[in-house]
Every structure is written in C-alpha cells, then in structure tokens.
Amino acid sequence: MNQAVRNAGAVVAAMLLAGVAAMAQSPVIELQGGAFRVSGWKAPQSEPSGGWGTVFLVYAGTGKVPALLGSYAVEAGTLVFHPRFPVMAGVHYHAVFREPSGLMIARDFDGPSRATNPVARVEQIYPSADVLPSNLLRLYVVFSDPMSRGEAAGHIHVEDDRGNILPDELLPGQELWDPTFRRLTMTFDPGRIKRGLTSNRTIGPPIVEGRHYRLVVDRDWRDARGVPMVQGFARNFTGGPPERTPPDPAQWRVTVPAQGTTNALAVDFPAPMNYSLLLKMIQVARGQAITAGAVALDRHETEWRFTPDTPWKAGDYRLAIDTRLEDLAGNHIGEAFDIDIFEKVSKSIERKSVTIPFAIR
Amino acid sequence: MIKGPVFRRAALAAVAVSAVAIIAIADVPVNLTSGLKTGKPELKSAGALAFGPDGVLFVGDSLGGSVTAIDTNDRTAPKGAASINVDGLDVKIAAMVGAPADQIVVNDMKVNPLSKNVYLSVSRGKGPDAQPLIVKVDTAGAVSNVSLDNVKFSQVSLVDAPASNPGARQDPRTTTITDMSYVEGNLLVAGMSNEEWSSALRSIPVPFKSAGLGATLQIWHDSHGRYETQSPVRTFVPYTIAGRQYVLAAYTCTPLVKIPVDDLKAGAKVKGQTIADLGAGNQPLDMVPYKKDGKDYILVANTAFGLLKVDANHLETYATIDSPTKNPGTAGMPFEKITSATNVKQLSQLDGSNAVVLTATSGPGPAYAPGPPVGPMSLKTIALP
C-alpha cells in the first residue's frame, strides 16, 4: 500500500470516528462573545485522550511561545475555547484547529481596536499654593480618569526658571497610586531633604528658598487605556523657607457655626497641611458619636471645613485630630520629620489623637 | 460666629497600641501548609513575594491591602544542579495571557528554595483593572501560570479599621508592600503608604491568625550626623551575626542597617545601626547573602549602581556610621562592583553558589529611580561572585 492510500485510509477511519454528520460542512473558527468556537464540526462528547489541546489551540504571540491560557467546553455540540483572560485590545490571535482527519485550518483575529480618544487631564496638583517649603516632601497629582502606571518617571518634571529640567528632584520609580489610579503620590528625594544626609549636604535640598520653579506633567502620560491625555499641565511655584516645626493644634483657629444650621465648621491653620491626610485625620465628635458630614479644603489647604449632614445641636462637641496628620514637610503633630538625636526618642509608638473642644450655641 | 481658641489636649488611651511581645521563637518546626483552607484567594494585585518553609509562597497585594500565603505544592527538589535561562520572558508571558508585551509588568521574583522553580508576580495591564498573575518558570525553562482557582491558602488583611468619615467614598489610602521576608515564625512586611510618610514594618505571626495584624514597628536609623530619620525599608534579609538573629535592611540612598530581631516587639520604636553606605543617588532592589570560600558576602542589586558584592564578614565589629561621608558617600562594609551581569532588575538566590536574575531595560526616568522595567526580559542563572 502506498503512502497516499494509507493516508486516505486513516482519514476515512477518522471521519467515521468523528461522525459522518461532520462532513455536512467545513469547520470554521469564529470569535464570538470573547470565545473561540469551531463551527461546522460536531465535537465528540468525550475529550480526546491527549486533551482538547491536541485538536484546537489559540496563540496570542508569534515564535516559540506558550498557547493562550483558557478552558474548553462542548456547547451544543460545538467545541469552544474560553480564554482565561478577556480578549484584549492590541492583541493578534492565531487559532489552529486540527481535525482528527489530519486536516488543519487556521484563522487569525485581532482583539478590539485600541482606544484613541484622549479623555484624561490633570485636575489638580496638591499642595496647591504658589509658595512651597524647601523641604516639601510629597505631591499629589489628581487626574480626571484612571491612568497607566510606569509613566511617572518619564512624564513629570520639575523645571528651573529657565525651563531646564532638574533631573534629581523626585523619586518617580516607586509609583504610589490610590486604588482607582486617579491620584498619584510623588515623593521628593528624601535624601536631599533630611538634614545631615550626604545628598542634602552635597547637592542641597530639591527646592531652594527664593527660586522659581515650574512643575510640568506631559500630555504623553497615558491613561489606563493607553491613550495620552487631552493636554499637559504646568504650574509655577516659588521656593519658601523650610518647615521644621511640627504642627501645633494650639495654633489653629476654629470658627464655630450656630445651632440649628448646617453651616460649615472651619479650622484655619497657620501653614498648609498635607492634602490627603487633612481629608481624613480630623473628626467631629459629640459624646461617643462621630458626627457625619462632608469635609472640604480651602485656601490652599490652610482651611478645613466640615458641613454636617444634619443641623448642629446645642452642646459640647470636639475635634479629634490624629497625631499622624502631617504638614507639607512630613512633620506630624508633636514630631518633626527629622529628629535631632540629641533629643530623646521615645521607646514606643504613640498612636493617639489630640482633641479641641468646642461648643455649639 | 468666631470663637477664640479654647484648646485642651488629651491622649486617647483606648487607641494606644498595646505593648505585647509577639515575636515567638518556635522550638518545634511548624508545618505551614496545615491550617490552610482550600479555595480561590482573591487578589487585586500581586506584588512582593517571599517563600516560607514547605513551599509556601507569600504574595503581597498592595491594592487589596493583604498578604496571602499559598501552598504551591511544589516541594520536589530538582535532579542535579538547576540552571534557568529564558529569553523573551515578557513575550512568553504575554502570549500565555493574551496581552501585548508592553502590558506585562513583572513586579517581583523569587526562587522556590525547595524545587528551585522561579515564581514571578505579574500584572496583566497597567491600570487599576490590571489582572494579577503568579507565573512559574520551571528548571527546564517552561513558563506556566499558577492557577489560584483551587489552592490551599490563608489571607491576612493589612488594612487598618477606617479612621474617619463613615460613609465616605472608597479610601484612597494604599500601602505599597516594598518587601517581605519570613523570619523565625513571622512574616516581616515592609510597606510605604501613599499618604502618611511615617511608615511601619509589620511582623505577622505565621500561620496567619484570624485576629490581629501582628506587631507594628518603627525602625529608626541614625545616618551621617545628628539627625535620625524614619524611612520606608526598600529591601531586607534575615541575617545571623555572631549567633544573633538580625534583619539587614537597605534604604533609598543607600544605607544598610542592622536591626536585632529580638528588638522587634509590638509597638516598639526600634533603633537600627547603620553599618554600610553604598552611596547616594541609588536605590537597592534585592539582596542575596551567601558564603564563598569560607567568607560571607551579600550580593545587592541596585537601580543606579548595578550589582554590588558587599563584604559581610565580622559585621559585629562595624561601628555605627555617624559622620557625614563624601558623595558618592560610601562607608562601613567594603564592597565591589560586579559587571558580569547588567540591567539586573530582580535577584534571587538559586542555591549555595548561584543566583537567578531578571534582566530588562530600565523604564523611563532617572537612573536612580526609573519606572518599571520594560522588555525584552530574560531570566539568567549567574554564579555568585
């Protein structure tokens, strides 16, 4: 028996095994609803001994790469491959079906088109003041839409007043995002801020008092869909004196509203405070109950305003302030960012709050 | 109506951290896989990795605010010496999970000390909806996904009870876990908050208990002068010095600090001792302690300085570095630059004389703090120098 005859015999045997009904039409590979289907081929109920992967495989790359992860199912007689992860924009898929007869068909697919419409922009950068302390520790960049990580190092810069990029200002590599990827925390190089450290002594602080700077976010920063922003963002600021004194609630001014109103309670600080911590580290309480309401920040984060959900009642209230609340330079209540070792360092962590009582009349 | 300032300070004793020592030195080895439940752990992200005994893999989830202990069930030692070399790793992972290669981010890499297979924590995508993956590369170089659909696991949350504003929108605070290590029955977790600067090291008893996050510690180190600072630890390793258990921690710009494990008690402020300074303008990535020709060394992977081989003999004899050093300020333990491997982004010990490195192009940005590495990525086995 020559080779062709042997092959023909094998094909006939395979067809008989696979069922004559399968001969009615040629198999076609389709991508429907995120799953790859072999239409026109009646799949046997039981999986082949080597697994469905011996019959049908999908690849999402070229060269010697593993096949796409996923699971197989026979649905109404049709073999279906469900990818483990959703079909993704920008991916090219190569699906290969090998009939038991030996006949091989392949079909290529592209994932959905990548989005191209820009939607994201920088809403604000905190601190929002025009003059920032020379030992400013952190910035918060707030975007309108979820962003991609891995972009900060290339797309946020501090420039001097002649437009030169100052390369060693920020520590962009460790991107600290909120869970929605809309707020990025950027840290200035702490080695240049801490007094006594090599970088501080030789290079100096990142911001120099009296000098003018420009904070620039490039339009090319990609959002979570991979699309650049609508526009870039820039803001000028001037270096101010370093902030070395821990915030002291005794210096805060409290403006108390009248009973029966839902007017805002206001607390004014002598210097701007850390934006993100200010939003959450001051509470209003009455007796054992925390008063529900909305917090807003104003006057470049020197004013905290609290609007209660229900009108103020006459009586004693208090503000409870978490001592981890920081100013712009990382000083927190009762403790400076860098501690002079000639002063005593306490032996234990004291997580506590300080209170400011006030009365509604 | 404006009122004059009427202030009174009061410490709220109820919220003070209780001072209970929780570092237990286990006399009897604990089988870490007992007490795990079977199911599908929920991960929002997969970041820092650490192996404990019995092939248990700890996965840090910064977005989910948790650490998960997973039984890899991967405890068979390889036949003969392992050597893992894979080119185009990012392309292979991308093909496996159906993503463009530029959407694959490798977050951490650790070698399973029992099987010598390499485990990687990976993100599929770069936005908030990126899917977390654990990828295994076996000693034959085969790349596979570690399915978490039906595994033995245990999970502990790192999220503090919400502090304020009941009913407020999703808390924007996250703790990025920078490194983890299993030390004498505890998992030490170093983290960096996106809000407050003062960050803590957590010590979590293993197996995880349902209640309690373990001890919270603050590590201080005196560095070049009279000012003490409290910084986030970038990477650290357990280390025995003259019979005493220490943690050797590396910080940004780049002091090495030794901290006695005995001092790591709940609520403690611990003072570390700076015993080396690898220089400014650099960040440490990973450390591998090893012995060669009877001498102790630590191989340190760095952002700007590449691989450094640090002489770790007689660490007990080093005095605290307390005087300012010149830029690129270096002091304490001697070290030398290793040029046999470049572009090292991840480093993990394979065996007594070899390490596995992940090499890739640095992401955009300054050399000392670049963005996440970009492809092409390779795994290589290198001899410990």
Side-chain angles (χ1 to χ4, degrees):
Chain A
M1 204 188 317
N2 65 27
Q3 183 68 39
V5 172
R6 271 204 304 272
N7 281 352
V11 167
V12 169
M15 282 177 174
L16 288 171
L17 276 174
V20 180
M23 296 186 64
Q25 58 182 115
S26 300
V28 177
I29 305 171
E30 296 171 310
L31 173 57
Q32 287 177 3
F36 296 85
R37 310 167 66 86
V38 183
S39 302
W41 180 70
K42 185 162 179 58
Q45 283 304 309
S46 56
E47 192 173 0
S49 59
W52 288 117
T54 59
V55 178
F56 188 31
L57 281 174
V58 180
Y59 294 89
T62 55
K64 197 178 170 186
V65 295
L68 187 63
L69 273 180
S71 57
Y72 295 89
V74 177
E75 298 171 4
T78 300
L79 180 60
V80 184
F81 175 76
H82 295 277
R84 171 77 177 77
F85 298 99
V87 169
M88 196 170 183
V91 178
H92 182 78
Y93 299 89
H94 180 68
V96 182
F97 172 67
R98 193 184 302 272
E99 268 193 289
S101 66
L103 177 70
M104 195 178 82
I105 59 168
R107 190 168 172 193
D108 289 6
F109 301 91
D110 284 309
S113 302
R114 283 190 169 188
T116 55
N117 59 319
V119 294
R121 58 182 80 227
V122 174
E123 289 187 337
Q124 182 57 285
I125 295 181
Y126 297 97
S128 62
D130 300 333
V131 177
L132 300 173
S134 64
N135 57 347
L136 173 65
L137 189 59
R138 284 185 154 178
L139 293 173
Y140 298 91
V141 186
V142 179
F143 295 91
S144 64
D145 290 85
M147 303 300 287
S148 273
R149 74 174 167 126
E151 301 274 324
H155 296 312
I156 183 165
H157 320 281
V158 178
E159 297 178 355
D160 65 16
D161 53 1
R162 286 171 295 188
N164 301 315
I165 291 177
L166 302 171
D168 300 326
E169 296 279 298
L170 299 160
L171 282 179
Q174 187 79 52
E175 294 183 11
L176 302 172
W177 288 97
D178 79 327
T180 67
F181 280 42
R182 284 189 52 220
R183 192 189 78 191
L184 177 70
T185 305
M186 291 292 297
T187 305
F188 282 88
D189 182 352
R192 293 179 60 181
I193 295 172
K194 291 171 192 167
R195 287 172 289 176
L197 276 191
T198 308
S199 302
N200 173 267
R201 296 168 67 93
T202 55
I203 313 172
I207 299 170
V208 177
E209 187 177 350
R211 290 205 186 150
H212 301 287
Y213 300 90
R214 188 172 175 81
L215 186 62
V216 179
V217 177
D218 298 335
R219 177 181 175 273
D220 291 343
W221 196 319
R222 293 173 188 279
D223 67 20
R225 306 166 307 148
V227 183
M229 294 196 293
V230 176
Q231 61 189 51
F233 182 92
R235 200 174 77 217
N236 298 326
F237 68 91
T238 303
E243 192 63 73
R244 304 251 185 237
T245 312
D248 180 5
Q251 307 296 318
W252 299 355
R253 194 184 70 206
V254 181
T255 305
V256 179
Q259 67 161 304
T261 71
T262 54
N263 293 341
L265 172 79
V267 180
D268 288 275
F269 316 105
M273 302 293 282
N274 177 300
Y275 157 78
S276 72
L277 299 178
L278 198 50
L279 284 174
K280 63 165 57 165
M281 287 197 167
I282 303 179
Q283 289 180 316
V284 178
R286 185 168 192 265
Q288 296 302 308
I290 291 169
T291 307
V295 172
L297 308 182
D298 205 353
R299 300 172 190 270
H300 302 300
E301 301 85 64
T302 61
E303 185 172 275
W304 178 92
R305 300 176 69 85
F306 176 84
T307 304
D309 289 348
T310 56
W312 296 105
K313 296 171 184 165
D316 292 332
Y317 285 79
R318 67 182 182 279
L319 290 165
I321 303 130
D322 191 319
T323 54
R324 292 174 298 169
L325 178 60
E326 294 174 10
D327 64 13
L328 299 188
N331 305 302
H332 62 96
I333 293 174
E335 199 161 271
F337 171 69
D338 50 3
I339 291 182
D340 190 325
I341 59 168
F342 294 112
E343 295 168 4
K344 188 173 177 296
V345 175
S346 65
K347 297 292 185 212
S348 63
I349 302 168
E350 294 164 4
R351 178 171 301 181
K352 60 183 182 181
S353 68
V354 295
T355 60
I356 301 176
F358 64 94
I360 297 286
R361 305 194 197 288
Chain B
M1 180 168 55
I2 298 179
K3 289 219 161 196
V6 184
F7 303 122
R8 180 171 59 83
R9 291 188 181 198
L12 295 183
V15 294
V17 178
S18 65
V20 179
I22 60 84
I23 303 285
I25 308 298
D27 293 319
V28 182
V30 178
N31 181 353
L32 288 191
T33 61
S34 65
L36 302 181
K37 61 183 175 185
T38 301
K40 182 179 180 180
E42 186 180 335
L43 294 182
K44 289 199 171 79
S45 63
L49 300 176
F51 270 99
D54 308 317
V56 168
L57 176 66
F58 298 100
V59 182
D61 176 1
S62 297
L63 283 182
S66 67
V67 177
T68 305
I70 296 167
D71 178 7
T72 59
N73 200 24
D74 181 16
R75 288 178 271 275
T76 307
K79 292 172 185 146
S83 180
I84 298 169
N85 297 281
V86 177
D87 286 329
L89 179 68
D90 52 328
V91 173
K92 288 180 172 160
I93 296 171
M96 188 172 68
V97 299
D102 68 0
Q103 294 295 306
I104 296 298
V105 184
V106 174
N107 300 309
D108 201 8
M109 178 194 82
K110 287 287 185 303
V111 175
N112 181 338
L114 299 181
S115 68
K116 307 301 181 189
N117 294 325
V118 175
Y119 284 72
L120 303 133
S121 57
V122 174
S123 301
R124 178 188 187 260
K126 294 182 170 177
D129 300 327
Q131 288 104 358
L133 308 167
I134 304 295
V135 172
K136 181 169 92 173
V137 182
D138 70 17
T139 51
V143 179
S144 63
N145 177 57
V146 178
S147 172
L148 302 181
D149 288 345
N150 190 31
V151 291
K152 287 167 78 178
F153 76 100
S154 174
Q155 198 169 58
V156 65
S157 170
L158 302 179
V159 180
D160 289 321
S164 64
N165 294 338
R169 63 190 172 87
Q170 182 180 22
D171 188 351
R173 186 182 184 281
T174 53
T175 297
T176 295
I177 299 169
T178 52
D179 201 7
M180 302 192 297
S181 197
Y182 178 86
V183 186
E184 294 187 338
N186 293 277
L187 185 71
L188 295 184
V189 180
M192 182 190 265
S193 160
N194 66 339
E195 295 196 338
E196 76 278 4
W197 170 254
S198 56
S199 47
L201 190 71
R202 284 187 197 278
S203 174
I204 306 171
V206 177
F208 296 151
K209 306 283 191 300
S210 56
L213 301 172
T216 299
L217 321 155
Q218 289 181 354
I219 310 291
W220 296 73
H221 61 277
D222 40 9
S223 189
H224 316 319
R226 56 182 284 187
Y227 293 103
E228 291 200 343
T229 54
Q230 186 204 352
S231 287
V233 175
R234 302 297 308 216
T235 182
F236 64 96
V237 286
Y239 206 78
T240 305
I241 303 171
R244 194 175 178 196
Q245 183 70 58
Y246 286 82
V247 164
L248 212 51
Y251 295 77
T252 296
C253 297
T254 314
L256 278 182
V257 176
K258 69 173 185 184
I259 303 151
V261 166
D262 291 350
D263 289 356
L264 301 181
K265 294 181 170 62
K269 275 192 175 176
V270 181
K271 190 167 171 179
Q273 191 186 357
T274 304
I275 53 172
D277 180 0
L278 305 180
N282 179 52
Q283 291 186 78
L285 296 170
D286 280 312
M287 293 194 283
V288 167
Y290 64 100
K291 234 180 214 317
K292 187 164 187 173
D293 302 330
K295 294 191 169 173
D296 292 310
Y297 301 97
I298 302 170
L299 190 62
V300 185
N302 299 277
T303 53
F305 297 165
L307 287 179
L308 298 178
K309 176 187 179 183
V310 181
D311 184 334
N313 292 288
H314 308 299
L315 288 190
E316 70 281 5
T317 63
Y318 286 98
T320 297
I321 297 171
D322 57 3
S323 61
T325 48
K326 291 179 180 173
N327 192 34
T330 54
M333 299 151 73
F335 59 88
E336 61 178 294
K337 191 168 171 56
I338 301 298
T339 54
S340 57
T342 54
N343 288 325
V344 172
K345 307 305 174 195
Q346 301 283 348
L347 167 71
S348 184
Q349 186 156 20
L350 181 64
D351 55 33
S353 48
N354 295 284
V356 174
V357 295
L358 182 141
T359 62
T361 308
S362 289
Y368 69 96
V374 294
M377 297 178 191
S378 299
L379 287 185
K380 293 190 172 102
T381 298
I382 62 167
L384 288 165

